[in-house]
DNA sequence: GCCATAACCATATCGACGTACGGTTTTGAG
DNA sequence: CTCAAAACCGTACGTCGATATGGTTATGGC
């Protein structure tokens, strides 16, 4: 049912996510939707939470995989961050949904809270990664993980916006897509300046 | 009349910007609104354009002032970019409006076009500034202005999102606000690496 | 087999909104 | 002064969407 919401929002925007519309899309009756969600806001909130959770899980999976394979933290982060960019249709759709909700969050404190939590989550994951980077020699010891996390997430968020708005744009002679990848790489390189010389078994 | 739209959107969100509501807010009748705008979409589009134009003008004024006073480009840019961040109530309100519209732009190609143009405008101004920076020795000659502009605008956009979402957040021991300022400064420092040794009278 | 509970449905209600319409007043050029 | 155009107003209409209501049909523990 939440999937129906997400499909509708992704294809036709939040305004198209009417109760009747969701019911039709999901193949249920209006009454059933009401049975499970006491109001439309509830339904939307649930769907939004689910989206942010999905993103979180996808990133967490990438990180777990990287840890298991003992890759350098910076490389794992690079892959994880690309996961957040709208680089294919699936992620574009996901981005549409996220942005639509974050737009409504402007005047809905409940949704705003979800948005805040989602953003805090990626920042925290980044900060932990930077912190761990110190222990295995990839990061300078006196670098502030919180500040670095803020910068990295800002870059990624800003690039996501640009990629979504105009995916066909060219930056000089290259595609925006390749430019974005380079900028993420570069940004990480500014933090993970050292060689990975030991593989800590730290979490994340 | 557009001012009424902006006030409503800023205080109560796009959904509150109904034709009757705008009329009331502006002190006019519904009929008059219709007289000037053939549809509600027209009205919103006009208001959105006006907002982006205002932002453009504010930034352009900052730049013109900097040029007149022959300040280093990097310093002028720093001030200009801070202008884009939601650092006080006025800019927060403006940011709310912009974001609300950019949310609706997700499923409205006309609005999306405005958003694209606005973003392109900022980037172009940045690219020109970087280019000019080369001529007066602030920027390495072989640096790609388009790429630099993409990076800078991404950072600023991402920081704006973070500042809006959670203005009270702290980054380590400092405020997000001061962290954001430092990150912008730092980002510019990565591009404008040289001393300003001559003041070109180039535009912007 | 009983029956409470959950799953499920169709329709009615009611408010809100965009727009159409028919009107009056103001204005300013000739 | 004239009169057409523009400014301006209030209301009515039709639509659509959220929610309420009053149901019927499974389901599963006893």
């Amino acid at each position: 049912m939440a999937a129906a919401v997400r499909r509708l929002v992704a294809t036709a925007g939040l305004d198209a996510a009417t109760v009747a519309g969701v019911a039709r899309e999901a193949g249920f009756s209006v009454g059933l939707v009401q049975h499970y969600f006491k109001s439309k806001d509830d339904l939307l909130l649930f769907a939004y939470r689910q989206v942010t959770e999905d993103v979180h899980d996808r990133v967490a999976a990438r990180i777990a995989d990287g840890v298991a394979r003992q890759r350098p933290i910076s490389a794992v982060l690079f892959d994880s961050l690309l996961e957040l960019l709208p680089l294919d249709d699936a992620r574009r759709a996901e981005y549409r949904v996220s942005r639509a909700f974050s737009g409504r969050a402007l005047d809905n404190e409940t949704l705003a809270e979800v948005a805040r939590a989602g953003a805090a989550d990626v920042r925290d994951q980044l900060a932990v990664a930077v912190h761990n980077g110190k222990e295995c020699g990839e990061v300078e010891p006196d670098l502030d993980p919180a500040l670095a996390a803020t910068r990295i997430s800002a870059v990624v968020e800003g690039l996501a916006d640009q990629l979504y708005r105009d995916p066909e744009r060219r930056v000089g002679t290259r595609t925006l897509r390749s430019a974005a990848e380079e900028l993420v790489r570069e940004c990480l390189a500014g933090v993970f300046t050292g060689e990975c010389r030991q593989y800590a078994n730290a979490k994340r």
Side-chain angles (χ1 to χ4, degrees), chain A residues 1-19 21-23 25-26 37 40 42-58 89-101 164:
Chain A
M1 201 169 262
V5 175
R6 292 167 64 171
R7 247 172 296 149
L8 278 179
V9 175
T11 59
L14 247 178
D15 287 339
T18 128
V19 174
V22 170
E25 174 78 23
F37 299 95
K40 186 195 178 182
D42 263 28
L43 171 59
L44 295 183
L45 182 61
F46 182 83
Y48 190 22
R49 273 201 239 270
Q50 191 185 287
V51 172
T52 63
E53 206 171 312
D54 277 12
V55 173
H56 170 93
D57 290 349
R58 256 203 353 259
D89 284 349
R91 278 173 286 179
R92 262 183 90 78
E94 190 175 60
Y95 182 85
R96 279 174 69 88
V97 178
S98 291
R99 276 294 291 241
F101 277 113
Y164 181 82

Side-chain angles (χ1 to χ4, degrees), chain A residues 37-203:
Chain A
F37 299 95
K38 79 181 221 301
S39 77
K40 186 195 178 182
D41 280 354
D42 263 28
L43 171 59
L44 295 183
L45 182 61
F46 182 83
Y48 190 22
R49 273 201 239 270
Q50 191 185 287
V51 172
T52 63
E53 206 171 312
D54 277 12
V55 173
H56 170 93
D57 290 349
R58 256 203 353 259
V59 171
R62 282 256 174 204
I63 292 178
D65 174 69
V67 169
R69 293 166 47 206
Q70 301 211 325
R71 301 177 62 210
I73 295 178
S74 60
V76 176
L77 278 191
F78 179 72
D79 288 353
S80 304
L81 293 175
L82 288 198
E83 201 69 58
L84 300 176
L85 299 179
L87 293 172
D88 57 27
D89 284 349
R91 278 173 286 179
R92 262 183 90 78
E94 190 175 60
Y95 182 85
R96 279 174 69 88
V97 178
S98 291
R99 276 294 291 241
F101 277 113
S102 93
R104 182 148 303 194
L106 290 168
D107 49 298
N108 180 328
E109 186 47 38
T110 318
L111 291 182
E113 194 45 56
V114 177
R116 249 191 304 271
D121 176 58
V122 291
R123 270 200 324 272
D124 290 348
Q125 297 210 48
L126 282 169
V128 169
V130 172
H131 176 80
N132 289 345
K134 290 184 183 178
E135 290 179 3
C136 69
E138 289 185 61
V139 178
E140 295 268 330
D142 55 351
L143 192 142
D144 179 358
L147 189 65
T150 299
R151 173 174 44 228
I152 298 171
S153 64
V155 168
V156 170
E157 214 169 327
L159 287 175
D161 287 355
Q162 298 194 33
L163 276 164
Y164 181 82
R165 250 194 317 258
D166 196 357
E168 300 307 325
R169 194 183 120 210
R170 302 196 76 84
V171 179
T173 64
R174 68 218 300 196
T175 64
L176 173 57
R177 184 198 164 102
S178 89
E181 286 180 16
E182 166 150 346
L183 288 173
V184 172
R185 197 184 335 262
E186 205 175 73
C187 177
L188 287 174
V191 174
F192 293 83
T193 48
E195 284 292 306
C196 178
R197 58 162 196 269
Q198 86 181 65
Y199 295 102
N201 52 1
K203 274 165 285 179

Side-chain angles (χ1 to χ4, degrees), chain A residues 1-2 4 19-34 36:
Chain A
M1 201 169 262
V19 174
V22 170
R24 198 175 330 113
E25 174 78 23
F28 297 133
S29 71
V30 177
L32 191 59
V33 177
Q34 293 183 110
Y36 288 107

